[in-house]
Amino acid sequence: MRVLVNEEPREVATATLAALLDELGYGDARVATAVDGAFVPASRRASWTLDEGARIEILAPMQGG
């Protein structure tokens, strides 16, 4: 299935947001996620199904001062 991840086209084999994070190597990393502009909390990622052409944003926290 083709989706956009952080504005980059990707061909993925997974159907849920949690599986996509695993496929992309995020595993259990602490990240914020959104699909098609809607925030998806970690507790809902396993049940959040992805559609062809979905726009996924994955944001990692940054440290600095």
Side-chain angles (χ1 to χ4, degrees), residues 17 33 39-46 48:
L17 183 55
T33 55
F39 172 72
V40 181
S43 62
R44 297 201 46 213
R45 292 177 188 157
W48 195 281

Side-chain angles (χ1 to χ4, degrees), residues 21-47:
L21 291 173
D22 285 339
E23 183 177 326
L24 297 178
Y26 286 94
D28 292 328
R30 291 190 174 265
V31 293
T33 55
V35 176
D36 295 327
F39 172 72
V40 181
S43 62
R44 297 201 46 213
R45 292 177 188 157
S47 63

Side-chain angles (χ1 to χ4, degrees), residues 1-59:
M1 158 174 42
R2 292 187 62 89
V3 297
L4 283 176
V5 178
N6 294 340
E7 300 299 324
E8 293 182 24
R10 298 274 188 139
E11 186 72 33
V12 297
T14 57
T16 67
L17 183 55
L20 175 68
L21 291 173
D22 285 339
E23 183 177 326
L24 297 178
Y26 286 94
D28 292 328
R30 291 190 174 265
V31 293
T33 55
V35 176
D36 295 327
F39 172 72
V40 181
S43 62
R44 297 201 46 213
R45 292 177 188 157
S47 63
W48 195 281
T49 56
L50 301 173
D51 295 322
E52 181 80 24
R55 298 174 63 97
I56 298 106
E57 296 292 328
I58 304 169
L59 303 169

